[in-house]
Amino acid sequence: MHWPSILIPGVNNMSLPDLMIRPRRLRNSATIRRMVRETVLTTADLIYPLFVDETITEAVAVKSMPGVSRIPLSQVGDAVQEVAALGVPGVILFGIPAEKDAVGSGGWDADGIVQRAIRAAKAACPDICVIADACFCEYTDHGHCGVLHGEEVDNDETLINLQKEAVSYAEAGVDIVAPSGMMDGMIAAIRTALDDAGFSHTPVMSYAVKYASGYFGPFRDAADSAPSFGDRASYQMDPANRREALKEAFLDVDEGADMLMVKPALAYMDIIREVKDATQLPLAVYNVSGEYAMVKAAAANGWIDEKRVVLETMSGFKRAGADMILTYHALDVARWLNEK
Ligand code: PBG
Ligand code: ZN
């Protein structure tokens, strides 16, 4: 055989005729590939989002998110049992209240939709980990994530409401509080309020690094939380920024967060890796609504193999450093993993 005399960089100037290092040896069989696999995805990595709507009695499909529905309170018990039966350990709850107001007071109503959903979920399935998203965009009549002064979200007034919301979630029995509004000082404020109210054992998962993203579009249909004017760029991060992600993550570590999150996930794989390397807390990533919608649309057209693409994406998140993945694909992924 004739070998061209090309030098292989990094292999001691070895030329092709002497080729001794052959990575393909470890790809020769499914068994060897399994033995040397570096990243393993399991159902324990997944968290499934649930939208609970106070205004409905039957599930309503979310058009832009095929396979996802808003469910009534009466279906929360069955939903969490289905999740748990598939081996998925956690859900994150989002509430759509019947009434909205300027400050989002439904967020800290002891009988609010999320508080009732927490109680229903824990009653049906004590072992499921119930996470509740703590924000106000679903509860305000203007759709912004806090109290407005003019057109600006007032950070410090919103912190006081976040404290009330977090404590009312804890009183309802939530397992983890997950503030998502990108208010400065939100972790310290919530930690202090939980501790003062006797919930020092309740962890806080911080949406620490959350970008002002176009990928949230379908979620805002699902949760009825689109801002009625402007955008969220004065509180969520500029997608162009990397150093700022570390600054946000370190702040939340210092303020006492128990877990961090990067969101969205796909366009921010570099950020996931950097936050993972720079911190010691468990790291969640949120595979958001727009990422889900794109995959579902392409799959519905027969343009991609959904199972293959979704599993590849999930192991990509883990490879990038994710310990937990919040995803609308969670139940499908669990079914695929369980069938293997
Ligand atoms: C609430 C919140 C949002 C998402 C999670 N919590 C929307 C937003 O910030 O506008 C987005 C989730 C998704 O797109 O799947 N602040
Ligand atoms: Zn919000």
Side-chain angles (χ1 to χ4, degrees), residues 29-316:
S29 72
T31 304
I32 293 185
R33 290 195 294 275
R34 209 175 130 227
M35 291 166 71
V36 302
R37 188 157 296 143
E38 298 174 40
T39 307
V40 180
L41 177 71
T42 78
T43 56
D45 301 322
L46 304 167
I47 296 168
Y48 187 58
L50 284 177
F51 298 99
V52 188
D53 186 340
E54 195 169 24
T55 70
I56 58 176
T57 52
E58 299 293 329
V60 177
V62 178
K63 277 202 180 59
S64 51
M65 300 173 71
V68 172
S69 296
R70 298 183 184 192
I71 59 170
L73 187 62
S74 60
Q75 291 182 17
V76 168
D78 288 348
V80 292
Q81 279 170 357
E82 183 189 6
V83 172
L86 287 164
V88 173
V91 293
I92 182 162
L93 300 178
F94 297 96
I96 298 107
E99 311 277 345
K100 304 190 186 217
D101 62 22
V103 295
S105 62
W108 64 88
D109 177 351
D111 271 316
I113 183 62
V114 165
Q115 289 79 358
R116 284 193 287 161
I118 293 166
R119 291 195 289 265
K122 293 305 288 184
C125 192
D127 284 343
I128 196 104
C129 177
V130 176
I131 305 168
D133 184 274
C135 199
F136 294 104
C137 42
E138 294 102 328
Y139 299 94
T140 53
D141 47 22
H142 46 74
H144 279 283
C145 298
V147 180
L148 289 185
H149 273 173
E151 305 223 320
E152 284 300 306
V153 174
D154 186 296
N155 192 87
D156 299 8
E157 262 188 63
T158 302
L159 291 184
I160 293 167
N161 294 344
L162 269 173
Q163 292 182 312
K164 294 188 267 188
E165 186 175 55
V167 169
S168 89
Y169 287 174
E171 285 169 346
V174 83
D175 293 300
I176 299 178
V177 177
S180 67
M182 292 297 283
M183 294 300 121
D184 294 336
M186 68 182 183
I187 302 307
I190 287 174
R191 185 70 271 155
T192 308
L194 288 173
D195 291 356
D196 287 350
F199 296 102
S200 57
H201 53 281
T202 302
V204 175
M205 171 191 275
S206 178
Y207 284 69
V209 180
K210 180 174 177 183
Y211 288 92
S213 172
Y215 287 98
F216 302 156
F219 173 93
R220 292 175 186 174
D221 297 336
D224 191 25
S225 64
S228 59
F229 65 88
D231 57 32
R232 305 209 200 287
S234 78
Y235 38 105
Q236 298 178 348
M237 284 175 54
D238 183 336
N241 292 356
R242 177 190 140 262
R243 286 192 310 264
E244 192 186 5
L246 294 174
K247 174 179 170 180
E248 286 280 3
F250 291 148
L251 270 171
D252 287 359
V253 169
D254 287 348
E255 290 179 32
D258 299 281
M259 301 168 168
L260 300 174
M261 190 194 298
V262 171
K263 173 183 178 192
L266 269 179
Y268 300 89
M269 289 287 210
D270 56 331
I271 305 296
I272 296 169
R273 170 48 60 198
E274 287 208 68
V275 171
K276 177 67 170 187
D277 286 346
T279 61
Q280 278 82 48
L281 299 185
L283 181 62
V285 301
Y286 203 137
N287 175 218
V288 299
S289 57
E291 300 171 7
Y292 176 84
M294 293 193 301
V295 169
K296 294 302 266 190
N301 277 290
W303 297 335
I304 56 169
D305 175 340
E306 180 174 352
K307 174 178 171 181
R308 192 170 168 191
V309 164
V310 170
L311 290 175
E312 182 176 336
T313 301
M314 297 298 136
S315 57

